[in-house]
Amino acid sequence: MLPFILKRIFQSLLVLIITGAIAFSMFTFVGDPIDNMLGQERTMEDIERLRAQLGLDRPIPVQYVKFLGEAVQGNFGVSYRQGREVSEIIMERAPATLELAALSAIFAIVVGIALGVFTAIRRDGFVANFIMSASLIGVSLPTFLIGILLIYLFSVELGWLPSFGRGEVVQIGWWTTGFLTESGLKALILPSITLGLYQMTLIMRLVRSEMLEVLRQDYIRFARARGLSERVINFRHALKNTMVPVITVIGLQLGAIIAFAIITETVFQWPGLGLLFINAIQFVDIPVMAAYLMMISVMFVVINLLVDILYAFIDPRLRVAAK
């Protein structure tokens, strides 16, 4: 098992280095930050001095190596736009995104698995068929359109929920949370549903498909022949074997929730990392963009690494194949 884990860790580090290099090299095509930092009265001397001060006069590989060395120590430089430490800005914005992503993930996993099992067990019922038909909405509609429709219905027409912002938050050390206030909880509902709806429908349809496949297996027929109850067969035998391939997809979708929060945060003006990244692009704030993309890459790689290890524990055949 240890060689399998070490191999996955090495692969994860390699992916991080390559992904970071590609993302960092792309910043040369988004514009020159010097244009946004200096006024119209700037001179060539001012430009060259600021470029040297920021290290932008060095080759891109040198800039990237320097960035990696600083990032390992938690130092992502100074924001070109705000003139503050990037790590400080990210610490302020991270709680909003992580709380939104956590609630969306819980919604997607719990509701997706529950509906997937229900539609598999009651596959010929009217309710199950209605759920499967309605799930096409979550798969086919783009995220921003779902968010706009939810805002129109629950904020504009009904006036039940806020259409933007995070609501009132409570400071707990360096963490700010909206879970402890009424307005904060209300503000979380629409964006979390918007962000998690696609993942929920994907998980639901996958669980249903895998559940139907498992229920056709011979050992399920043997379990029925032994006189076991349908509850025991469905939840102790079928569901357990259904979850083996589903875990991999859930891991990928957890990373996607954090990465795709950009669209949801833009629609709902959610003060998180996604909105920070959009503003950084507009102002060519390279340190903020680099820090954000590196953080998203680390989250994706860590989640996939944990899923690989968990998958190996569940299915021992993977450990044998990896040797």
Side-chain angles (χ1 to χ4, degrees):
M1 187 63 184
L2 183 59
F4 175 82
I5 295 177
L6 293 176
K7 181 180 178 181
R8 288 294 186 269
I9 292 176
F10 175 76
Q11 293 173 347
S12 300
L13 292 176
L14 185 61
V15 169
L16 275 178
I17 294 173
I18 296 175
T19 303
I22 295 174
F24 196 84
S25 63
M26 290 174 61
F27 296 149
T28 58
F29 301 101
V30 299
D32 191 349
I34 303 298
D35 294 335
N36 294 322
M37 300 178 67
L38 294 177
Q40 296 295 328
E41 303 299 326
R42 64 182 182 269
T43 63
M44 289 302 299
E45 290 76 11
D46 295 332
I47 294 176
E48 294 301 326
R49 184 177 63 255
L50 184 57
R51 192 180 299 278
Q53 180 181 346
L54 297 175
L56 298 178
D57 57 338
R58 303 174 183 176
I60 290 179
V62 176
Q63 294 183 39
Y64 177 62
V65 172
K66 182 177 182 296
F67 170 76
L68 281 183
E70 297 288 340
V72 171
Q73 304 175 40
N75 180 20
F76 296 97
V78 178
S79 169
Y80 295 164
R81 179 191 177 195
Q82 302 185 32
R84 301 165 54 200
E85 291 287 338
V86 175
S87 56
E88 179 183 342
I89 300 173
I90 289 180
M91 292 290 282
E92 291 178 356
R93 296 294 194 104
T97 296
L98 293 178
E99 286 190 354
L100 175 61
L103 195 60
S104 301
I106 293 173
F107 164 73
I109 294 173
V110 174
V111 178
I113 293 177
L115 292 181
V117 173
F118 176 81
T119 53
I121 296 175
R122 308 291 184 183
R123 56 186 175 277
D124 296 325
F126 171 78
V127 177
N129 290 326
F130 175 79
I131 292 174
M132 290 302 299
S133 300
S135 69
L136 294 175
I137 298 176
V139 174
S140 58
L141 290 182
T143 302
F144 73 89
L145 184 56
I146 294 175
I148 292 173
L149 291 175
L150 290 177
I151 289 174
Y152 176 76
L153 177 61
F154 292 100
S155 299
V156 178
E157 292 295 329
L158 300 176
W160 291 351
L161 299 170
S163 60
F164 67 93
R166 197 183 176 194
E168 185 181 356
V169 296
V170 176
Q171 188 85 26
I172 303 177
W174 64 271
W175 189 275
T176 56
T177 178
F179 287 143
L180 302 179
T181 64
E182 182 180 355
S183 62
L185 289 173
K186 286 183 177 180
L188 274 165
I189 295 176
L190 291 185
S192 61
I193 293 176
T194 302
L195 183 58
L197 187 61
Y198 174 78
Q199 282 75 20
M200 185 273 289
T201 53
L202 183 64
I203 292 173
M204 180 195 74
R205 299 178 76 87
L206 178 62
V207 170
R208 180 181 185 274
S209 175
E210 293 294 332
M211 189 85 171
L212 290 176
E213 183 66 26
V214 170
L215 289 175
R216 298 190 187 101
Q217 299 299 316
D218 291 337
Y219 67 87
I220 297 296
R221 298 190 184 98
F222 179 71
R224 287 197 177 98
R226 289 174 55 197
L228 297 179
S229 65
E230 287 297 318
R231 179 183 296 273
V232 173
I233 293 174
N234 290 330
F235 293 98
R236 182 174 298 179
H237 296 282
L239 183 58
K240 180 180 178 180
N241 291 281
T242 297
M243 293 306 297
V244 173
V246 172
I247 287 176
T248 301
V249 175
I250 289 178
L252 294 175
Q253 294 310 306
L254 290 179
I257 283 177
I258 298 176
F260 297 152
I262 294 178
I263 301 174
T264 303
E265 291 185 6
T266 303
V267 172
F268 290 92
Q269 288 298 292
W270 191 261
L273 294 172
L275 190 59
L276 175 68
F277 182 67
I278 294 296
N279 293 332
I281 293 176
Q282 294 174 351
F283 289 90
V284 199
D285 199 344
I286 293 178
V288 174
M289 291 190 291
Y292 174 82
L293 291 178
M294 285 299 295
M295 188 189 69
I296 295 300
S297 300
V298 169
M299 288 184 179
F300 257 108
V301 168
V302 169
I303 290 174
N304 288 329
L305 176 62
L306 294 177
V307 167
D308 283 342
I309 295 174
L310 181 61
Y311 202 76
F313 274 109
I314 295 176
D315 191 351
R317 293 173 297 179
L318 280 181
R319 301 199 295 269
V320 176
K323 291 181 179 179

Short mmCIF file of all heavy atoms in Angstrom, two decimals, residues 251-289:
data_model
loop_
_atom_site.label_atom_id
_atom_site.label_comp_id
_atom_site.label_asym_id
_atom_site.label_seq_id
_atom_site.Cartn_x
_atom_site.Cartn_y
_atom_site.Cartn_z
N GLY A 251 -15.26 12.79 -6.08
CA GLY A 251 -14.01 13.50 -5.85
C GLY A 251 -13.73 14.54 -6.91
O GLY A 251 -13.33 15.67 -6.62
N LEU A 252 -13.94 14.16 -8.17
CA LEU A 252 -13.73 15.11 -9.27
C LEU A 252 -14.70 16.27 -9.18
O LEU A 252 -14.35 17.43 -9.46
CB LEU A 252 -13.87 14.40 -10.61
CG LEU A 252 -12.81 13.34 -10.92
CD1 LEU A 252 -13.15 12.61 -12.22
CD2 LEU A 252 -11.43 13.96 -11.01
N GLN A 253 -15.95 15.99 -8.81
CA GLN A 253 -16.95 17.05 -8.75
C GLN A 253 -16.70 18.01 -7.58
O GLN A 253 -17.03 19.19 -7.67
CB GLN A 253 -18.35 16.43 -8.61
CG GLN A 253 -18.80 15.64 -9.83
CD GLN A 253 -18.63 16.41 -11.12
OE1 GLN A 253 -19.11 17.53 -11.25
NE2 GLN A 253 -17.93 15.82 -12.08
N LEU A 254 -16.09 17.53 -6.50
CA LEU A 254 -15.75 18.42 -5.39
C LEU A 254 -14.73 19.46 -5.85
O LEU A 254 -14.82 20.64 -5.50
CB LEU A 254 -15.20 17.62 -4.21
CG LEU A 254 -16.20 16.74 -3.46
CD1 LEU A 254 -15.50 15.99 -2.33
CD2 LEU A 254 -17.35 17.56 -2.91
N GLY A 255 -13.76 19.02 -6.63
CA GLY A 255 -12.81 19.98 -7.18
C GLY A 255 -13.47 20.93 -8.16
O GLY A 255 -13.16 22.12 -8.20
N ALA A 256 -14.40 20.41 -8.96
CA ALA A 256 -15.10 21.25 -9.93
C ALA A 256 -15.95 22.31 -9.25
O ALA A 256 -16.09 23.43 -9.76
CB ALA A 256 -15.96 20.38 -10.84
N ILE A 257 -16.52 21.97 -8.11
CA ILE A 257 -17.34 22.94 -7.38
C ILE A 257 -16.51 24.17 -7.00
O ILE A 257 -16.95 25.32 -7.16
CB ILE A 257 -17.95 22.28 -6.13
CG1 ILE A 257 -19.13 21.39 -6.54
CG2 ILE A 257 -18.42 23.34 -5.12
CD1 ILE A 257 -19.76 20.64 -5.39
N ILE A 258 -15.30 23.93 -6.51
CA ILE A 258 -14.44 25.06 -6.11
C ILE A 258 -13.98 25.84 -7.33
O ILE A 258 -13.97 27.07 -7.35
CB ILE A 258 -13.24 24.54 -5.31
CG1 ILE A 258 -13.72 23.86 -4.02
CG2 ILE A 258 -12.29 25.69 -4.97
CD1 ILE A 258 -12.62 23.23 -3.21
N ALA A 259 -13.60 25.11 -8.39
CA ALA A 259 -13.10 25.78 -9.60
C ALA A 259 -14.19 26.58 -10.30
O ALA A 259 -13.95 27.70 -10.77
CB ALA A 259 -12.50 24.75 -10.54
N PHE A 260 -15.41 26.02 -10.38
CA PHE A 260 -16.49 26.67 -11.11
C PHE A 260 -17.26 27.66 -10.26
O PHE A 260 -18.28 28.21 -10.70
CB PHE A 260 -17.45 25.62 -11.68
CG PHE A 260 -16.81 24.71 -12.69
CD1 PHE A 260 -17.27 23.42 -12.87
CD2 PHE A 260 -15.72 25.14 -13.43
CE1 PHE A 260 -16.67 22.57 -13.79
CE2 PHE A 260 -15.11 24.30 -14.35
CZ PHE A 260 -15.59 23.02 -14.54
N ALA A 261 -16.79 27.90 -9.04
CA ALA A 261 -17.44 28.90 -8.21
C ALA A 261 -17.30 30.30 -8.78
O ALA A 261 -18.02 31.22 -8.38
CB ALA A 261 -16.86 28.86 -6.78
N ILE A 262 -16.39 30.47 -9.75
CA ILE A 262 -16.18 31.78 -10.36
C ILE A 262 -17.48 32.30 -10.96
O ILE A 262 -17.87 33.46 -10.76
CB ILE A 262 -15.09 31.70 -11.44
CG1 ILE A 262 -13.74 31.39 -10.81
CG2 ILE A 262 -15.01 32.99 -12.24
CD1 ILE A 262 -12.62 31.25 -11.82
N ILE A 263 -18.18 31.45 -11.72
CA ILE A 263 -19.41 31.87 -12.39
C ILE A 263 -20.48 32.21 -11.37
O ILE A 263 -21.14 33.26 -11.45
CB ILE A 263 -19.90 30.76 -13.33
CG1 ILE A 263 -18.83 30.45 -14.38
CG2 ILE A 263 -21.21 31.15 -13.99
CD1 ILE A 263 -19.16 29.29 -15.28
N THR A 264 -20.66 31.34 -10.38
CA THR A 264 -21.69 31.58 -9.37
C THR A 264 -21.40 32.82 -8.56
O THR A 264 -22.30 33.63 -8.28
CB THR A 264 -21.80 30.36 -8.43
OG1 THR A 264 -22.07 29.18 -9.20
CG2 THR A 264 -22.91 30.56 -7.41
N GLU A 265 -20.16 33.03 -8.18
CA GLU A 265 -19.80 34.21 -7.40
C GLU A 265 -19.98 35.48 -8.21
O GLU A 265 -20.33 36.53 -7.66
CB GLU A 265 -18.36 34.08 -6.90
CG GLU A 265 -18.18 33.01 -5.85
CD GLU A 265 -16.78 32.98 -5.27
OE1 GLU A 265 -15.99 33.88 -5.62
OE2 GLU A 265 -16.47 32.08 -4.47
N THR A 266 -19.78 35.41 -9.51
CA THR A 266 -19.99 36.58 -10.35
C THR A 266 -21.47 36.92 -10.46
O THR A 266 -21.86 38.09 -10.38
CB THR A 266 -19.41 36.34 -11.76
OG1 THR A 266 -18.02 36.02 -11.64
CG2 THR A 266 -19.56 37.57 -12.62
N VAL A 267 -22.31 35.90 -10.63
CA VAL A 267 -23.76 36.13 -10.76
C VAL A 267 -24.34 36.70 -9.48
O VAL A 267 -25.14 37.65 -9.51
CB VAL A 267 -24.49 34.81 -11.13
CG1 VAL A 267 -26.00 34.98 -11.07
CG2 VAL A 267 -24.07 34.35 -12.52
N PHE A 268 -23.91 36.16 -8.34
CA PHE A 268 -24.48 36.58 -7.05
C PHE A 268 -23.62 37.62 -6.33
O PHE A 268 -23.91 37.95 -5.19
CB PHE A 268 -24.66 35.36 -6.14
CG PHE A 268 -25.75 34.43 -6.58
CD1 PHE A 268 -25.47 33.36 -7.41
CD2 PHE A 268 -27.06 34.64 -6.18
CE1 PHE A 268 -26.48 32.50 -7.82
CE2 PHE A 268 -28.07 33.78 -6.58
CZ PHE A 268 -27.79 32.71 -7.42
N GLN A 269 -22.57 38.11 -7.01
CA GLN A 269 -21.65 39.06 -6.39
C GLN A 269 -21.20 38.57 -5.01
O GLN A 269 -21.22 39.31 -4.02
CB GLN A 269 -22.31 40.44 -6.29
CG GLN A 269 -22.44 41.16 -7.61
CD GLN A 269 -21.09 41.44 -8.28
OE1 GLN A 269 -20.30 42.24 -7.79
NE2 GLN A 269 -20.81 40.76 -9.39
N TRP A 270 -20.82 37.32 -4.98
CA TRP A 270 -20.38 36.66 -3.75
C TRP A 270 -18.92 37.05 -3.48
O TRP A 270 -18.06 36.85 -4.33
CB TRP A 270 -20.51 35.15 -3.90
CG TRP A 270 -20.33 34.38 -2.64
CD1 TRP A 270 -19.21 33.74 -2.22
CD2 TRP A 270 -21.30 34.16 -1.62
NE1 TRP A 270 -19.42 33.13 -1.01
CE2 TRP A 270 -20.70 33.37 -0.62
CE3 TRP A 270 -22.63 34.55 -1.45
CZ2 TRP A 270 -21.37 32.97 0.53
CZ3 TRP A 270 -23.30 34.15 -0.32
CH2 TRP A 270 -22.68 33.37 0.66
N PRO A 271 -18.61 37.59 -2.32
CA PRO A 271 -17.24 38.10 -2.07
C PRO A 271 -16.24 37.01 -1.76
O PRO A 271 -15.63 36.96 -0.69
CB PRO A 271 -17.45 39.03 -0.86
CG PRO A 271 -18.59 38.40 -0.12
CD PRO A 271 -19.51 37.84 -1.17
N GLY A 272 -16.02 36.13 -2.74
CA GLY A 272 -15.11 35.02 -2.53
C GLY A 272 -13.91 35.08 -3.47
O GLY A 272 -13.63 36.11 -4.10
N LEU A 273 -13.23 33.96 -3.60
CA LEU A 273 -12.02 33.91 -4.40
C LEU A 273 -12.32 34.00 -5.89
O LEU A 273 -11.51 34.54 -6.65
CB LEU A 273 -11.27 32.62 -4.10
CG LEU A 273 -10.69 32.49 -2.68
CD1 LEU A 273 -10.14 31.09 -2.46
CD2 LEU A 273 -9.61 33.53 -2.44
N GLY A 274 -13.46 33.48 -6.32
CA GLY A 274 -13.81 33.54 -7.73
C GLY A 274 -13.98 34.96 -8.21
O GLY A 274 -13.45 35.35 -9.27
N LEU A 275 -14.71 35.77 -7.45
CA LEU A 275 -14.89 37.17 -7.81
C LEU A 275 -13.57 37.93 -7.73
O LEU A 275 -13.30 38.83 -8.54
CB LEU A 275 -15.93 37.81 -6.88
CG LEU A 275 -16.42 39.21 -7.26
CD1 LEU A 275 -17.06 39.21 -8.63
CD2 LEU A 275 -17.41 39.72 -6.22
N LEU A 276 -12.74 37.57 -6.76
CA LEU A 276 -11.41 38.17 -6.65
C LEU A 276 -10.59 37.88 -7.91
O LEU A 276 -9.88 38.76 -8.43
CB LEU A 276 -10.70 37.62 -5.42
CG LEU A 276 -9.24 38.06 -5.21
CD1 LEU A 276 -9.17 39.55 -4.90
CD2 LEU A 276 -8.59 37.25 -4.09
N PHE A 277 -10.68 36.66 -8.43
CA PHE A 277 -9.93 36.28 -9.63
C PHE A 277 -10.42 37.06 -10.85
O PHE A 277 -9.61 37.51 -11.68
CB PHE A 277 -10.07 34.78 -9.86
CG PHE A 277 -9.31 34.26 -11.05
CD1 PHE A 277 -7.93 34.28 -11.05
CD2 PHE A 277 -9.97 33.77 -12.16
CE1 PHE A 277 -7.22 33.80 -12.15
CE2 PHE A 277 -9.28 33.31 -13.25
CZ PHE A 277 -7.90 33.32 -13.25
N ILE A 278 -11.73 37.23 -10.98
CA ILE A 278 -12.28 38.00 -12.11
C ILE A 278 -11.77 39.44 -12.06
O ILE A 278 -11.36 40.00 -13.09
CB ILE A 278 -13.81 37.98 -12.07
CG1 ILE A 278 -14.33 36.56 -12.32
CG2 ILE A 278 -14.39 38.93 -13.11
CD1 ILE A 278 -14.01 36.02 -13.69
N ASN A 279 -11.79 40.05 -10.89
CA ASN A 279 -11.28 41.42 -10.76
C ASN A 279 -9.79 41.48 -11.04
O ASN A 279 -9.30 42.47 -11.59
CB ASN A 279 -11.58 41.96 -9.36
CG ASN A 279 -13.06 42.14 -9.11
OD1 ASN A 279 -13.83 42.38 -10.04
ND2 ASN A 279 -13.49 42.01 -7.87
N ALA A 280 -9.06 40.44 -10.65
CA ALA A 280 -7.61 40.41 -10.90
C ALA A 280 -7.31 40.36 -12.39
O ALA A 280 -6.35 40.96 -12.86
CB ALA A 280 -6.98 39.21 -10.19
N ILE A 281 -8.14 39.64 -13.15
CA ILE A 281 -7.95 39.59 -14.60
C ILE A 281 -8.15 40.96 -15.22
O ILE A 281 -7.39 41.38 -16.10
CB ILE A 281 -8.91 38.55 -15.22
CG1 ILE A 281 -8.54 37.13 -14.76
CG2 ILE A 281 -8.88 38.64 -16.74
CD1 ILE A 281 -9.49 36.08 -15.26
N GLN A 282 -9.17 41.66 -14.77
CA GLN A 282 -9.46 42.98 -15.33
C GLN A 282 -8.31 43.97 -15.10
O GLN A 282 -8.04 44.82 -15.95
CB GLN A 282 -10.75 43.53 -14.72
CG GLN A 282 -11.99 42.73 -15.08
CD GLN A 282 -13.23 43.21 -14.35
OE1 GLN A 282 -13.15 44.03 -13.44
NE2 GLN A 282 -14.38 42.71 -14.77
N PHE A 283 -7.62 43.84 -13.97
CA PHE A 283 -6.54 44.76 -13.63
C PHE A 283 -5.15 44.15 -13.85
O PHE A 283 -4.16 44.72 -13.41
CB PHE A 283 -6.68 45.22 -12.18
CG PHE A 283 -7.83 46.15 -11.95
CD1 PHE A 283 -9.08 45.66 -11.62
CD2 PHE A 283 -7.68 47.52 -12.08
CE1 PHE A 283 -10.15 46.51 -11.41
CE2 PHE A 283 -8.74 48.39 -11.87
CZ PHE A 283 -9.99 47.88 -11.54
N VAL A 284 -5.11 42.97 -14.49
CA VAL A 284 -3.85 42.28 -14.77
C VAL A 284 -3.03 42.15 -13.48
O VAL A 284 -1.82 42.42 -13.45
CB VAL A 284 -3.04 43.01 -15.86
CG1 VAL A 284 -1.99 42.06 -16.45
CG2 VAL A 284 -3.91 43.54 -16.96
N ASP A 285 -3.69 41.70 -12.42
CA ASP A 285 -3.03 41.54 -11.12
C ASP A 285 -2.42 40.13 -11.08
O ASP A 285 -3.02 39.18 -10.55
CB ASP A 285 -4.05 41.73 -9.99
CG ASP A 285 -3.37 42.02 -8.66
OD1 ASP A 285 -2.16 41.77 -8.56
OD2 ASP A 285 -4.05 42.51 -7.73
N ILE A 286 -1.23 40.00 -11.64
CA ILE A 286 -0.61 38.69 -11.84
C ILE A 286 -0.39 37.92 -10.53
O ILE A 286 -0.68 36.72 -10.48
CB ILE A 286 0.71 38.84 -12.61
CG1 ILE A 286 0.41 39.32 -14.04
CG2 ILE A 286 1.49 37.53 -12.65
CD1 ILE A 286 1.63 39.54 -14.88
N PRO A 287 0.10 38.52 -9.44
CA PRO A 287 0.28 37.73 -8.21
C PRO A 287 -1.02 37.11 -7.70
O PRO A 287 -1.02 35.96 -7.24
CB PRO A 287 0.84 38.77 -7.23
CG PRO A 287 1.50 39.79 -8.07
CD PRO A 287 0.67 39.88 -9.30
N VAL A 288 -2.12 37.84 -7.79
CA VAL A 288 -3.41 37.29 -7.33
C VAL A 288 -3.85 36.16 -8.25
O VAL A 288 -4.30 35.11 -7.77
CB VAL A 288 -4.48 38.40 -7.29
CG1 VAL A 288 -5.85 37.81 -6.97
CG2 VAL A 288 -4.11 39.45 -6.25
N MET A 289 -3.72 36.34 -9.56
CA MET A 289 -4.11 35.28 -10.50
C MET A 289 -3.27 34.03 -10.29
O MET A 289 -3.80 32.91 -10.29
CB MET A 289 -3.97 35.78 -11.93
CG MET A 289 -4.98 36.85 -12.33
SD MET A 289 -4.96 37.20 -14.10
CE MET A 289 -3.37 38.01 -14.26
#
